[in-house]
């Protein structure tokens, strides 16, 4: 996938790590496609930005990156195309990459003309497109409760890779991913420092998993996977819990399989 696309994911990941809460709804359609809607609460982060930058969060500081997100839904292809034209860099001609990026949208949220956060959505991604996105955002794949490579949806059965979300597994995996490209001792030290900083944040991930047909049965149990109604599963946790290797879960099956009618 595109290195340039990853460039757009990096600031989104940074925002998520410092956000108050991330509310997402993942919908699994009968035609085997998947849609995701994610709202990222940034009220505290933006208040901090204003304090650092004076009267505006758009002052010359690291928070100026927020300007890249439009007020209305816009797909990532259009945003990247505009950026390419501005910088004189050619856009990709790969049809698969273009098709994937055109299904992804982003916008900023406002209340009383005050920015409150970022919204991100993916519209009916195919199983192959989900895999491509997961590979592209490999270091960021904890932003959705269902983005692991081992999470599979075939139109009737959803296999959740819940092992990835067990604290001891998550911490170890994240550490490996962050240090994978660190070739020098100083780079490794920076990665370790970044991981330590992450433990200071306690973003709440409120995830809902929805189906178009009724849930018939659930195989496997996990503390963070709860059935709400015949069509909905709740999978919520905090970043602090994910990084707490001493946290002992009562139920922690490696996979939870949800079968629909």
């Amino acid at each position: 996938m595109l290195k340039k696309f990853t460039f757009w994911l990096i600031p989104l990941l940074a925002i998520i790590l410092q956000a108050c809460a991330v509310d997402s709804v993942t919908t699994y359609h009968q035609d085997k496609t998947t849609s995701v809607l994610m709202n990222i609460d940034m009220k505290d982060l933006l208040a901090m930005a204003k304090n650092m930058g004076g009267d505006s969060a758009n002052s010359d500081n690291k928070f100026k990156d927020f300007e890249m997100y439009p007020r209305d839904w816009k797909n990532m292809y259009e945003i990247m195309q505009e950026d390419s034209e501005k910088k004189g860099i050619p856009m990709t001609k790969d049809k698969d990459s273009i098709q994937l990026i055109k299904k992804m949208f982003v916008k900023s949220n406002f209340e009383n003309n005050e920015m409150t956060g970022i919204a991100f959505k993916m519209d009916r991604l195919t199983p192959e497109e989900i895999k491509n996105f997961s590979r592209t955002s490999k270091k960021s794949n904890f932003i959705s409760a269902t983005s692991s490579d081992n999470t599979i949806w075939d139109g009737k059965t959803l296999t959740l890779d819940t092992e990835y979300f067990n604290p001891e597994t998550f911490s170890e995996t994240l550490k490996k991913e962050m240090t994978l490209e660190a070739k020098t001792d100083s780079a490794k030290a920076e990665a370790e420092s970044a991981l330590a900083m992450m433990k200071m944040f306690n973003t709440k991930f409120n995830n809902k998993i929805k189906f178009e047909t009724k849930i018939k049965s659930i195989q496997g149990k996990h503390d963070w996977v709860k059935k709400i109604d015949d069509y909905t599963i709740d999978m919520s946790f905090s970043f602090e819990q994910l990084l707490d290797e001493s946290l002992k879960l009562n139920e922690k099956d490696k996979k939870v399989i949800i079968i629909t009618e």
Side-chain angles (χ1 to χ4, degrees), residues 115-155:
M115 186 176 179
T116 59
I118 296 291
F120 178 74
K121 68 179 178 179
M122 299 186 291
D123 185 28
R124 287 187 176 270
L125 268 60
T126 65
E128 186 59 36
E129 288 169 338
I130 288 288
K131 288 181 181 179
N132 286 340
F133 176 72
S134 182
R135 284 194 291 267
T136 302
S137 56
K138 190 65 179 177
K139 296 179 184 177
S140 319
N141 63 8
F142 59 86
I143 64 176
S144 169
T146 55
S147 59
S148 167
D149 286 341
N150 295 323
T151 289
I152 302 167
W153 169 244
D154 66 7

Side-chain angles (χ1 to χ4, degrees), residues 17-82:
L17 288 177
Q18 300 173 70
C20 305
V22 178
D23 295 297
S24 70
V25 177
T26 303
T27 303
Y28 289 98
H29 306 286
Q30 288 181 280
D31 62 0
K32 300 183 181 181
T33 61
T34 304
S35 297
V36 177
L37 174 62
M38 183 184 302
N39 283 290
I40 305 167
D41 180 359
M42 295 166 48
K43 293 185 183 73
D44 290 348
L45 182 60
L46 289 167
M48 180 173 65
K50 286 187 176 182
N51 290 333
M52 291 177 64
D55 294 332
S56 173
N58 293 325
S59 301
D60 286 332
N61 55 49
K62 63 180 180 179
F63 298 102
K64 194 171 182 179
D65 285 341
F66 294 157
E67 293 177 349
M68 72 173 67
Y69 302 108
R71 288 200 175 204
D72 298 312
W73 286 115
K74 198 168 190 178
N75 71 57
M76 299 297 289
Y77 179 77
E78 290 180 283
I79 295 174
M80 290 173 61
Q81 191 173 44
E82 291 172 2

Side-chain angles (χ1 to χ4, degrees), residues 145-146 151 158-162 209 225 235 254-256 258:
T146 55
T151 289
L158 173 67
T159 302
L160 288 172
D161 178 21
T162 43
I209 299 171
V225 179
M235 190 175 177
K254 294 182 179 181
K255 292 186 183 299
V256 171
I258 304 165

Side-chain angles (χ1 to χ4, degrees), residues 53-239:
D55 294 332
S56 173
N58 293 325
S59 301
D60 286 332
N61 55 49
K62 63 180 180 179
F63 298 102
K64 194 171 182 179
D65 285 341
F66 294 157
E67 293 177 349
M68 72 173 67
Y69 302 108
R71 288 200 175 204
D72 298 312
W73 286 115
K74 198 168 190 178
N75 71 57
M76 299 297 289
Y77 179 77
E78 290 180 283
I79 295 174
M80 290 173 61
Q81 191 173 44
E82 291 172 2
D83 188 59
S84 293
E85 292 175 356
K86 186 186 299 182
K87 296 179 179 178
I89 303 172
M91 274 288 292
T92 179
K93 294 183 179 180
D94 181 76
K95 292 182 179 179
D96 291 338
S97 297
I98 292 173
Q99 180 177 315
L100 172 60
I101 299 167
K102 283 184 175 180
K103 292 184 178 182
M104 297 182 180
F105 302 80
V106 67
K107 77 178 183 73
S108 32
N109 291 329
F110 282 80
E111 288 180 8
N112 299 322
N113 211 34
E114 288 286 333
M115 186 176 179
T116 59
I118 296 291
F120 178 74
K121 68 179 178 179
M122 299 186 291
D123 185 28
R124 287 187 176 270
L125 268 60
T126 65
E128 186 59 36
E129 288 169 338
I130 288 288
K131 288 181 181 179
N132 286 340
F133 176 72
S134 182
R135 284 194 291 267
T136 302
S137 56
K138 190 65 179 177
K139 296 179 184 177
S140 319
N141 63 8
F142 59 86
I143 64 176
S144 169
T146 55
S147 59
S148 167
D149 286 341
N150 295 323
T151 289
I152 302 167
W153 169 244
D154 66 7
K156 182 178 180 180
T157 301
L158 173 67
T159 302
L160 288 172
D161 178 21
T162 43
E163 181 182 21
Y164 181 84
F165 297 95
N166 292 335
E168 63 273 20
T169 304
F170 180 85
S171 295
E172 182 180 348
T173 303
L174 182 60
K175 185 175 181 180
K176 285 181 180 178
E177 290 176 355
M178 291 186 66
T179 58
L180 185 63
E181 297 178 4
K183 306 299 183 184
T184 65
D185 290 341
S186 60
K188 290 180 181 178
E190 288 179 7
E192 293 284 354
S193 177
L195 185 60
M197 286 185 64
M198 286 182 182
K199 294 183 178 181
M200 298 171 61
F201 304 117
N202 190 27
T203 303
K204 302 291 192 304
F205 294 89
N206 305 309
N207 303 289
K208 296 292 185 294
I209 299 171
K210 291 184 173 293
F211 301 93
E212 291 181 332
T213 56
K214 285 186 177 181
I215 297 169
K216 185 177 181 180
S217 64
I218 300 175
Q219 299 173 7
K221 295 181 179 180
H222 195 283
D223 283 3
W224 296 339
V225 179
K226 298 179 178 66
K227 181 180 176 182
I228 298 177
D229 56 43
D230 288 341
Y231 297 88
T232 313
I233 296 290
D234 178 82
M235 190 175 177
S236 299
F237 45 80
S238 70
F239 197 54

